[in-house]
């Protein structure tokens, strides 16, 4: 279960990051904090993994970053979603995520009717 959950978490983390950046620009630390908050700390995300995903998204033109001064230490990268990231987010949501959620919801209701 742990291995399977890890793969699914890893697969969706990039999607969650893009959704957060659609709301506003953020630092990697803020993204990690938002992930913990939204999962009520039931899912732990490694900061190094978040930064690796951000690096990959940046290399593929989905996000960009600017260095910003910090009052608490060295400059930090502040990430912003780019137009290609917005297009990817919309297409993935429409073509993959919504059909998966619809299917999963129907199957969970059928096989686990008492689960909430």
């Amino acid at each position: 279960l742990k291995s399977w959950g890890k793969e699914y978490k890893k697969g969706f983390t990039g999607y969650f990051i893009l959704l957060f950046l659609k709301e506003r620009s953020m630092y990697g630390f803020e993204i990690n904090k938002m992930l913990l908050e939204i999962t009520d700390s039931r899912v732990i995300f490694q900061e190094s993994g978040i930064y690796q995903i951000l690096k990959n998204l940046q290399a593929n033109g989905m996000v960009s970053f600017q260095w910003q001064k910090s009052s608490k230490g060295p400059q930090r990268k502040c990430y912003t979603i780019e137009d290609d990231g917005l297009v990817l987010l919309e297409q993935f949501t429409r073509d993959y995520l919504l059909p998966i959620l619809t299917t999963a919801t129907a199957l969970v209701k059928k096989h686990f009717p008492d689960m909430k």
Side-chain angles (χ1 to χ4, degrees):
L1 176 63
K2 188 175 182 178
S3 175
W4 199 28
K6 183 178 178 181
E7 288 302 311
Y8 279 94
K9 179 177 75 171
K10 184 169 53 172
F12 277 99
T13 304
Y15 179 76
F16 297 149
I17 289 171
L18 289 176
L19 283 174
F20 291 143
L21 294 177
K22 187 175 188 285
E23 295 173 21
R24 65 179 174 86
S25 298
M26 292 184 183
Y27 304 109
F29 177 79
E30 291 176 287
I31 292 169
N32 189 41
K33 184 177 174 185
M34 295 286 292
L35 287 166
L36 288 171
E37 285 176 14
I38 206 158
T39 64
D40 201 23
S41 296
R42 290 179 294 175
V43 181
I44 305 299
F45 297 85
Q46 298 296 319
E47 278 191 58
S48 60
I50 291 168
Y51 285 107
Q52 184 60 50
I53 291 168
L54 285 165
K55 183 178 177 181
N56 292 340
L57 289 169
Q58 191 265 329
N60 287 300
M62 303 298 141
V63 303
S64 61
F65 70 87
Q66 288 187 320
W67 289 103
Q68 292 191 347
K69 292 182 181 180
S70 171
S71 61
K72 297 181 181 181
Q75 290 186 331
R76 301 184 291 177
K77 290 181 180 180
C78 187
Y79 294 89
T80 302
I81 192 167
E82 294 295 325
D83 289 341
D84 286 348
L86 291 169
V87 169
L88 174 70
L89 194 56
E90 184 177 329
Q91 288 177 340
F92 181 81
T93 300
R94 181 186 58 244
D95 297 346
Y96 292 95
L97 189 64
L98 290 177
I100 288 169
L101 289 174
T102 301
T103 302
T105 300
L107 289 171
V108 168
K109 284 181 181 179
K110 178 180 178 181
H111 295 282
F112 303 100
D114 297 330
M115 192 177 289
K116 295 190 188 324

